[in-house]
Amino acid sequence: MRFVHTADWQLGMTRRFLGAGRVGQAVGEAQARFAQARLDAVAALGRVAGDEGAAFVVVCGDVFESNLVGPDVVGRACEALRSVPVPVLLLPGNHDPADASLVTRRADFVRRCPPHVTVLDTPGVHPVAPGVEVVAAPWATKRPLSDLVGDRLRALEPAPEGVVRVLAGHGAVDVLSPDERNPAVIGTAECRAALADGRVHYVALGDRHSTWQLHGEPRIAYSGAPEVTSHEETDPGNVLVVDVGPDGAASVRPVRVGRWAFTREHALADSDDDLAALDARLDALDAPERTALRLAVEGTLTLRQRARLDEITEAHAPVLAALEVDLSGVVTRPDDADVEALGLSGFAADAAQELAAAARDDADPAALDALALLHRLAVTR
Amino acid sequence: MRLLRIRLRDFRGVHDREVHLAESGVTVLEGENEVGKTSTVVALDLLIDFRDDSKAAPVRGAAPAGRDAGPEVEAEFVTGPYHVVYRKRWLRRRLTELHVTGPTTEQLAGREAHDRLLAILDETMDRDLWLALRVEQHTPLGQVDLGGHDALTRALDRAAGGETVGPAVDAAAEGLVERALAEVRRYHGGHGRPVGPLREAGDRVAAARTEADAAAAAVSEVERDVDLRAELDREATGLAEERRAQNARVRELEDRWSALQARQQEVTTSAERAEAARERAGRATERQDARAALVAAAATAEQRAARARETLEGLEAGDQARREDLAERRTEADRALAASDAATAAARTAAAELAAARDRAELADLRGRLRRAETAEEARREAAREAGGPCADAAAVERLEGLDRAVVQAEAELAAGAATVEVTGLGDRTAVAVDGTTREVADGESTTLPVADAVTIDVPGAVRMTVRPGLDGEAARRRVADARTAREQACAALGVADVAAARAASRAAGEAASRVRELAAVVERELGGRPLDDVRGAIATLAERIPAEAAEPAPTRRRGARRPAPDEPGLFEEAGLLDDASGDPEPEDLEPLRLEAVRTLDAADEAHRVARGAEEAWRRLDASVTTAGADVVAARTALAVARSEADRRTGELREARAEYPDDALAAAATDALARARRYEADHEQRAAALEADDPTTVEALYATAKRAVDSLTQRTADVERRRAEVTGRLQVAGGEGRHDRHAAARTELAAAEREHASVSRRAAAAVRLHDTLARRRDEVRRAYVAPFRREVERLARIVFGPSLALEVDPALRIVSRTLNGVTVPFDALSTGAKEQLGLCARLAVAALVDAEDGVPVLIDDALGHSDPGRLERLAAVFGAAAAGSSHQVVVLTCTPARYRGIGANRTVTLNPSYPPPQAVPAADEEPPDTDASDPTSTGSAEFRAG
């Protein structure tokens, strides 16, 4: 039996660094493209499911970013679900718990929801096909007071003969988040035990946005988000195609569906050559329109080099989906040539010297800015 | 720069004039108005600024009026190392020539010459300072803008000792400060108020924060509602549980309560039965009591009837005795009344007699009075008649006496005028009759007789002598005769013989008149003012009233009265009238009659009093008899009533006994009482049994349990309602996309904050740059303010005195002047003081600036506001400024007196320079010096050593 394991679609999510529209306006261009990319990822995993002949797709929580997403997000999500050719099971997670505001119980969702979509909003065993059962451990509130997965597993008897059971759960596992104060952490020991005695045959988890499998037990896995959501993620953009039999034999295969990249780059800038290299690196970026780059620059620059750096980053910013430059590692030390280049005389030269000295010796950012401004004013004279 | 020479040709009104200037020190150019002083200055500017092909307005304005010639200017000057002669002509036969004679010789023309000259000037001269040190005509000589002039600042910098940093001030640097300030102004308005992008960024952050807060509130509202909904769900479940338990409890209590209620009903019934028995026993006892009362009432009524009969009998006996006594009294009263009537009749008779007697007396009196009045009246009429005679007229008697006096007068006149006869006695007593009158004439005695008329003298016996008057006494005699006739006629009219008789008659008439008055008084007194007829009427009335028999005694008494004698002389009669009524009849004696009347009246009164007493005694008795009779009637009525009552009671008692005999009633009462006690005991027993089972507590428990169920129902409904509310809210909120809004708002806030930080940084950079630049500039300026101020003060003290002190700001503007401890801002100074300080400042600059850098100070007719005393001191300022310095000062003036004292190095008097007549060839341009006063000659300057 083959199915597709995915999670954490988080439809309706926005990212600040992708830019904002003004208050009351539509979101920025990159933001809109990113939102569309996340819907495209759903369509892509639907194609994967169809191509692979999967029996169903189970989404292990956080289908929506929040229960309070707008009707437009819900509507587009339903359209994307419609394109999936196999049954889809949606599990409420911590972002969209099955409380009174559950989005999949909302009228706008119910009206547009395709018939092959099932919402696993009640805990327990859901038969999805002959010989196939899904055990749902949905979140009923944002703050559960127990290990929901463990609770479900403890309530189970071993699966009947010939029946494949998949547990769909959501939350952090104890090996990744050893937080004793959090009662909802999923105990992997219980999962292993359940797998061992045949209560379930696969534990499909959501919440972690990077693809991850428990060491030594590939049947306990996080699929990760199908499209990247954060610079912190290590391996996002995948779905898991899982083959599992009633005997417990399983194979798990990640398939990439995401197309965006949230990347971090680190650059050393101490000379004009470094700056040129940085420029070349940025030029060489693949698919920059789908890349949100966090660039951390480090080094010591003269005033002119610093201006060059600013010029380089400003030139690349419009091409990238987002470019965040962290200049906290850059030290700007105006040298005498910087001051002389201003071509000043008289008290203006004195003032320039004073500002340069303050910027150099006291690392006074305001003095540096003032010097830069003086540069601009002197040049446009 | 130093000007050595300026030559104008065909420049405005100047035909041709060359002016040589002192190389250093003061040159004064003096001349009349319109002689072309200002043109000299204008010409210098044109020479430098305008190319020869320019047709700019100042160039065209320089063309000479009415002549077809191009204006030409030539100047020789030294600037920096260069010695230059520069010539230009515009409009006509244009040319530009430049001769540089040092340090190397250059010869240029046209455009090249112009550009080369500008290059030389830019290299060697501060042209801004050149313009700044100039004082134009008609412009106030005030503050001079000296900041940023190269030459000056170089000089000041040197004076300040700051050599090391090279060129200290750059005009471009000044521009940088301005640009930095403009940059600051982009972000900050007055008082650091954010404007432009900074304000917009701040507004954006504020708006974004507001929106983010609102969106976050909207989201947390939903979260609260979700929690609330879960809470309500739990509550609803708990309530349902509680209701089930409570309902079971209610049912159990209800059963117990129903059983107790049935018993409660039984107790109530037994209580009612006992109450009914008690009431019946009470009624039987009451009937028994009523019978006893009826027996007692019948006995009492019988006793009352007996007492009433006794009373009636006593009253009837007393009544009979009083009636007999009453008849006796009545008889006595009748007798006394009869006696009283008789006495009254006697008294009335006596009174009548007394009245009649009084009437008679009055009648007699009236008659006497009437008679006396009539007599007096008669006498009065008689006397009146006497008084009314002719001689009564006193005036007539007077007239008569007048006539008599006229006769005597006439006779006297006659005698006086008449002849006289003197008769003298010759013997012893001779009788002589004169006119019949005998008189005796003694011896020796003579008598003179007037002969008014014929006088007859008889000597008896002897002779009759008649002496007749002559004719001459006729008129007198006639007047005497006329007077006598008139007297006689008057006497006749009065009815008297002569005057004496008339006098007697007049006297008699007066006496009669007084008698008339006396008699009238008598009549008045007798009649008491009443007319006679009234008195007569009264008499008639009285006479009628007196009955004949009553008047009877009167005639007898009247017989004794004295009767008046009618023949007695009237005089006596009259006297009697005046005295009293002696002629009246004697009045009757009324006293016995009056006494009689009094006595009888007293007797009648006494008899009446006795009769009244008797009657009253009778009437009193009669009243008591009547009262006693009424008592008897009342006693009879009372008896009847008492009898009837006694009979009724007896009948009642009889009937009652016929119905229930007394002993039957007593037996019924005893029986009813016993039954009532029985029923009561039964009720008490039941009630005690019920109380023992505590129905009140059961009821309270039951009611409480029911209330608890109600309350639970209520709470359930409440929870359901709130749950529905929350659910509704959640449904609404779900469709609003609150998460999207919140996410967008947070994104916007982050962007706005980034933008604000960036703009703030740019604004801070602008502020920092401007502050730094401005501070540096001010430091530089402060360094050279001191020497400048020292120099200006040095010069200004000459004008204002040693106490002067000035404050100068870094822009080299004079801020204020302190004099004798009083500080006045520059703008508040008088025009004259501003002018003087302005001049001092310019001269100070000139003195400070290096000789090579220096420019001439040009003063075109200034100091019009300075008084003569100050002018004198200003002259000294020029001198002081020149001392130790080699700068050039050019003063243009039309009032040379102003600048007399300045010790000019050179004074040039400008005279008009007119073009020569047409005939004179224009080529003759450089004649030798001629008489300067010749107006037609080519203008030239006369030089005098200063």
Side-chain angles (χ1 to χ4, degrees):
Chain A
M1 198 276 295
R2 173 175 288 179
F3 68 96
V4 172
H5 168 201
T6 179
D8 300 300
W9 293 359
Q10 301 206 302
L11 301 174
M13 184 184 74
T14 57
R15 294 284 89 163
R16 263 174 240 176
F17 46 80
L18 293 176
R22 295 303 292 260
V23 175
Q25 291 176 350
V27 294
E29 175 266 347
Q31 196 77 260
R33 283 194 295 113
F34 180 61
Q36 186 56 48
R38 306 171 63 67
L39 292 167
D40 291 347
V42 172
L45 70 88
R47 279 193 299 278
V48 170
D51 294 348
E52 298 278 352
F56 59 91
V57 174
V58 62
V59 189
C60 294
D62 291 358
V63 178
F64 288 98
E65 169 73 359
S66 160
N67 277 331
L68 300 178
V69 293
D72 50 343
V73 174
V74 170
R76 284 176 201 135
C78 288
E79 289 311 304
L81 285 169
R82 197 184 301 280
S83 71
V84 178
V86 299
V88 182
L89 308 173
L90 304 181
L91 180 80
N94 63 325
H95 276 265
D96 49 358
D99 60 20
S101 62
L102 177 61
V103 58
T104 50
R105 285 191 201 130
R106 261 161 54 181
D108 50 349
F109 182 86
V110 170
R111 190 180 307 119
R112 299 190 72 95
C113 179
H116 62 276
V117 173
T118 307
V119 179
L120 305 175
D121 56 354
T122 50
V125 177
H126 295 257
V128 293
V132 179
E133 290 177 354
V134 171
V135 180
W139 285 44
T141 70
K142 282 198 172 176
R143 290 169 294 278
L145 299 173
S146 64
D147 172 6
L148 298 170
V149 170
D151 293 348
R152 282 301 109 221
L153 293 176
R154 278 188 290 276
L156 286 177
E157 293 296 315
E161 190 64 33
V163 169
V164 177
R165 261 193 197 155
V166 176
L167 180 128
H170 187 88
V173 292
D174 50 6
V175 293
L176 288 174
S177 302
D179 183 356
E180 289 178 3
R181 283 167 300 176
N182 183 358
V185 165
I186 297 167
T188 45
E190 183 70 47
C191 296
R192 283 173 190 275
L195 288 167
D197 60 19
R199 278 177 281 168
V200 293
H201 303 101
Y202 182 80
V203 177
L205 295 175
D207 188 39
R208 185 179 161 86
H209 289 197
S210 302
T211 304
W212 181 87
Q213 286 171 297
L214 180 60
H215 184 69
E217 178 50 271
R219 291 178 294 173
I220 300 175
Y222 287 102
S223 65
E227 187 61 276
V228 64
T229 60
S230 159
H231 287 93
E232 318 303 322
E233 295 159 7
T234 53
D235 187 14
N238 303 315
V239 295
L240 296 178
V241 177
V242 180
D243 287 291
V244 64
D247 54 354
S251 86
V252 178
R253 182 159 45 90
V255 176
R256 181 159 184 84
V257 292
R259 302 182 66 215
W260 279 53
F262 286 1
T263 53
R264 289 174 178 278
E265 296 275 348
H266 187 258
L268 287 173
D270 284 313
S271 65
D272 292 343
D273 292 346
D274 290 343
L275 293 174
L278 175 64
D279 195 14
R281 257 171 79 190
L282 293 176
D283 272 341
L285 277 178
D286 194 26
E289 76 281 1
R290 296 198 301 273
T291 303
L293 175 60
R294 270 189 189 163
L295 178 64
V297 187
E298 196 180 308
T300 303
L301 298 176
T302 67
L303 194 61
R304 281 160 300 139
Q305 288 167 335
R306 171 64 192 274
R308 170 76 183 133
L309 174 62
D310 290 346
E311 185 200 75
I312 289 170
T313 55
E314 277 167 28
H316 286 282
V319 183
L320 289 156
L323 175 59
E324 296 170 277
V325 184
D326 176 5
L327 292 175
S328 58
V330 173
V331 178
T332 307
R333 293 187 184 280
D335 59 5
D336 290 344
D338 281 336
V339 176
E340 275 166 25
L342 293 172
L344 297 178
S345 58
F347 66 82
D350 294 346
Q353 289 289 359
E354 179 191 321
L355 291 171
R360 191 166 51 234
D361 305 336
D362 307 335
D364 179 350
L368 192 62
D369 291 341
L371 197 58
L373 175 62
L374 179 60
H375 201 275
R376 186 162 65 75
L377 295 179
V379 167
T380 57
R381 152 160 54 149
Chain B
M1 178 169 110
R2 267 165 224 287
L3 280 170
L4 303 177
R5 179 172 65 83
I6 304 171
R7 176 168 188 174
L8 310 184
R9 276 195 194 131
D10 294 325
F11 197 94
R12 289 188 180 171
V14 179
H15 174 60
D16 188 352
R17 177 192 292 147
E18 189 170 55
V19 176
H20 290 261
L21 304 167
E23 200 171 330
S24 67
V26 183
T27 302
V28 174
L29 301 184
E30 54 179 56
E32 306 281 313
N33 288 330
E34 298 188 40
V35 82
K37 297 187 296 294
T38 307
S39 292
T40 310
V41 180
V42 171
L44 274 174
D45 287 340
L46 286 187
L47 181 62
I48 293 168
D49 291 337
F50 292 91
R51 291 210 298 264
D52 60 13
D53 58 352
S54 170
K55 290 189 172 61
V59 173
R60 282 184 281 116
R67 276 192 306 130
D68 190 15
E72 180 185 320
V73 179
E74 180 181 305
E76 182 178 353
F77 50 88
V78 177
T79 179
Y82 303 97
H83 188 119
V84 176
V85 177
Y86 189 43
R87 185 155 78 107
K88 245 183 205 169
R89 189 159 63 222
W90 296 270
L91 302 174
R92 300 253 160 213
R93 294 194 291 134
R94 300 195 298 265
L95 75 83
T96 305
E97 287 176 357
L98 174 67
H99 291 270
V100 182
T101 56
T104 56
T105 308
E106 290 178 66
Q107 184 96 27
L108 295 165
R111 180 72 176 271
E112 282 182 357
H114 180 83
D115 292 343
R116 174 61 184 147
L117 183 86
L118 288 185
I120 288 173
L121 289 181
D122 281 344
E123 183 189 336
T124 57
M125 187 178 107
D126 185 341
R127 287 182 65 196
D128 289 335
L129 186 64
W130 153 245
L131 293 174
L133 289 189
R134 195 190 283 179
V135 180
E136 306 274 2
Q137 202 175 7
H138 309 309
T139 51
L141 179 61
Q143 195 76 276
V144 54
D145 185 10
L146 297 171
H149 295 313
D150 288 354
L152 176 60
T153 41
R154 261 199 306 279
L156 292 171
D157 204 31
R158 243 190 334 276
E163 280 289 6
T164 51
V165 291
V169 167
D170 186 350
E174 195 65 39
L176 268 182
V177 179
E178 292 303 317
R179 279 198 290 280
L181 182 61
E183 196 67 17
V184 170
R185 290 275 171 265
R186 277 184 64 200
Y187 300 107
H188 292 291
H191 308 292
R193 181 172 46 85
V195 296
L198 187 56
R199 200 193 66 210
E200 283 163 22
D203 291 351
R204 183 180 172 192
V205 168
R209 186 161 290 136
T210 307
E211 168 64 9
D213 289 349
V219 168
S220 46
E221 186 181 276
V222 172
E223 283 168 358
R224 273 199 309 276
D225 275 351
V226 167
D227 291 348
L228 181 60
R229 165 69 188 273
E231 180 66 28
L232 288 170
D233 284 350
R234 271 195 299 283
E235 208 173 320
T237 313
L239 281 173
E241 196 70 30
E242 219 176 314
R243 270 177 75 194
R244 267 194 301 283
Q246 200 63 37
N247 275 332
R249 170 88 173 137
V250 166
R251 272 192 297 282
E252 183 226 320
L253 284 168
E254 196 172 15
D255 291 347
R256 277 174 66 192
W257 173 236
S258 298
L260 285 169
Q261 258 184 330
R263 283 173 59 198
Q264 180 82 56
Q265 192 59 45
E266 284 171 18
V267 170
T268 308
T269 311
S270 71
E272 280 166 4
R273 200 170 52 199
E275 178 63 27
R278 259 199 308 279
E279 275 174 20
R280 269 198 301 282
R283 276 201 299 281
T285 312
E286 274 168 23
R287 269 204 298 280
Q288 213 179 355
D289 293 350
R291 174 61 54 82
L294 188 57
V295 171
T300 309
E302 203 59 47
Q303 281 166 15
R304 271 200 205 118
R307 270 205 300 280
R309 175 161 302 282
E310 281 168 25
T311 309
L312 178 63
E313 281 164 4
L315 282 174
E316 275 173 348
D319 189 42
Q320 191 56 39
R322 269 195 295 281
R323 275 176 200 283
E324 285 162 11
D325 191 26
L326 179 64
E328 236 168 81
R329 293 287 171 97
R330 178 68 189 263
T331 313
E332 264 172 45
D334 287 350
R335 263 199 313 273
L337 210 57
S340 168
D341 286 351
T344 303
R348 202 173 290 136
T349 307
E353 272 174 22
L354 178 59
R358 277 187 182 140
D359 283 354
R360 275 194 307 275
E362 191 183 351
L363 179 62
D365 176 55
L366 280 178
R367 275 179 178 144
R369 281 174 186 273
L370 181 59
R371 189 172 33 78
R372 283 193 301 277
E374 278 168 349
T375 311
E377 181 64 18
E378 207 170 317
R380 191 186 63 83
R381 272 198 296 273
E382 183 58 30
R385 216 165 27 248
E386 281 172 27
C391 292
D393 188 353
V397 174
E398 198 75 16
R399 258 191 324 273
L400 182 58
E401 286 196 353
L403 288 174
D404 186 44
R405 276 193 300 276
V407 170
V408 171
Q409 190 177 357
E411 279 173 353
E413 282 172 10
L414 184 56
T420 55
V421 176
E422 198 170 274
V423 178
T424 309
L426 295 172
D428 198 57
R429 306 216 23 116
T430 320
V432 177
V434 178
D435 287 348
T437 307
T438 309
R439 64 182 68 186
E440 280 177 9
V441 183
D443 187 21
E445 184 189 10
S446 61
T447 303
T448 309
L449 299 169
V451 184
D453 210 340
V455 177
T456 311
I457 303 163
D458 290 340
V459 181
V463 281
R464 163 165 300 186
M465 274 180 312
T466 303
V467 183
R468 300 189 198 271
L471 271 177
D472 53 341
E474 193 58 22
R477 274 190 305 278
R478 202 171 42 247
R479 269 197 307 273
V480 169
D482 287 351
R484 279 176 189 152
T485 310
R487 185 179 63 187
E488 254 114 69
Q489 277 170 353
C491 284
L494 286 170
V496 292
D498 54 15
V499 172
R503 274 184 203 123
S506 176
R507 251 188 330 271
E511 279 164 15
S514 62
R515 270 184 59 76
V516 166
R517 281 192 298 278
E518 280 167 14
L519 286 169
V522 169
V523 170
E524 183 71 15
R525 190 186 66 213
E526 289 298 337
L527 297 184
R530 283 184 295 181
L532 272 173
D533 289 344
D534 277 11
V535 175
R536 284 195 193 102
I539 289 167
T541 307
L542 276 171
E544 243 172 62
R545 200 163 64 196
I546 296 165
E549 65 270 41
E552 210 38 45
T556 50
R557 279 191 198 115
R558 213 185 288 164
R559 247 167 257 144
R562 193 184 62 104
R563 208 197 234 147
D567 50 348
E568 267 181 339
L571 189 63
F572 296 114
E573 174 86 6
E574 281 174 12
L577 276 176
L578 296 171
D579 284 345
D580 58 4
S582 57
D584 284 351
E586 199 72 15
E588 248 180 288
D589 190 2
L590 293 173
E591 192 58 24
L593 285 175
R594 197 183 57 79
L595 289 176
E596 181 61 16
V598 168
R599 192 189 54 78
T600 52
L601 197 55
D602 287 349
D605 282 350
E606 178 61 23
H608 184 73
R609 195 182 48 77
V610 169
R612 179 78 45 201
E615 193 181 350
E616 263 174 34
W618 167 63
R619 284 197 193 286
R620 268 199 306 277
L621 189 57
D622 186 49
S624 80
V625 167
T626 308
T627 306
D631 287 350
V632 170
V633 170
R636 246 180 229 134
T637 309
L639 174 59
V641 169
R643 187 67 262 154
S644 150
E645 175 68 13
D647 292 351
R648 194 174 61 78
R649 292 284 181 193
T650 312
E652 233 173 81
L653 184 58
R654 197 169 49 247
E655 282 166 21
R657 279 183 176 147
E659 196 178 349
Y660 292 111
D662 289 357
D663 51 355
L665 279 180
T670 313
D671 188 34
L673 215 53
R675 197 159 51 232
R677 289 210 185 91
R678 215 163 46 242
Y679 285 151
E680 255 168 35
D682 175 53
H683 163 67
E684 275 161 20
Q685 191 185 352
R686 283 171 188 277
L690 181 61
E691 197 60 32
D693 284 347
D694 196 5
T696 315
T697 305
V698 174
E699 184 183 12
L701 284 173
Y702 174 52
T704 307
K706 270 202 301 189
R707 271 204 300 280
V709 169
D710 289 349
S711 157
L712 280 173
T713 311
Q714 183 99 30
R715 275 169 61 199
T716 307
D718 187 43
V719 166
E720 286 302 330
R721 184 179 51 73
R722 284 167 62 201
R723 197 158 163 274
E725 274 174 20
V726 172
T727 309
R729 274 210 299 274
L730 283 172
Q731 274 168 0
V732 171
E736 286 178 350
R738 292 189 181 191
H739 165 78
D740 302 346
R741 180 186 166 199
H742 186 211
R746 278 188 308 184
T747 306
E748 164 61 13
L749 177 58
E753 280 170 347
R754 266 202 311 277
E755 187 200 349
H756 188 255
S758 163
V759 174
S760 299
R761 214 175 123 180
R762 286 206 301 274
V767 171
R768 174 69 175 269
L769 177 60
H770 178 255
D771 288 353
T772 309
L773 283 171
R775 178 164 43 74
R776 285 288 178 170
R777 180 190 62 188
D778 288 351
E779 279 168 12
V780 170
R781 282 190 180 173
R782 263 196 298 282
Y784 54 70
V785 159
F788 175 72
R789 183 173 55 87
R790 269 200 304 278
E791 184 63 18
V792 180
E793 280 180 347
R794 181 174 79 84
L795 298 179
R797 276 182 186 135
I798 297 170
V799 181
F800 295 101
S803 78
L804 174 114
L806 295 173
E807 189 189 339
V808 179
D809 71 5
L812 299 183
R813 277 188 298 268
I814 296 169
V815 176
S816 65
R817 183 197 73 176
T818 303
L819 197 59
N820 300 323
V822 179
T823 301
V824 180
F826 183 84
D827 291 338
L829 289 171
S830 73
T831 312
K834 283 182 188 167
E835 183 181 71
Q836 288 139 22
L837 282 176
L839 185 68
C840 289
R842 283 171 177 80
L843 290 174
V845 171
L848 280 169
V849 172
D850 195 39
E852 280 183 17
D853 287 340
V855 292
V857 178
L858 260 174
I859 296 170
D860 189 354
D861 245 352
L863 306 184
H865 295 284
S866 299
D867 59 50
R870 290 273 170 85
L871 273 178
E872 197 181 331
R873 289 162 181 269
L874 278 171
V877 170
F878 278 96
S885 166
S886 60
H887 64 276
Q888 199 180 22
V889 178
V890 181
V891 175
L892 290 77
T893 181
C894 60
T895 47
R898 275 188 204 163
Y899 300 96
R900 280 287 179 242
I902 65 175
N905 295 57
R906 180 174 291 174
T907 301
V908 181
T909 304
L910 299 182
N911 290 311
S913 166
Y914 298 120
Q918 291 296 328
V920 177
D924 189 13
E925 282 181 330
E926 290 255 3
D929 284 351
T930 53
D931 189 355
S933 62
D934 182 1
T936 61
S937 72
T938 302
S940 72
E942 183 189 353
F943 301 141
R944 282 198 301 267

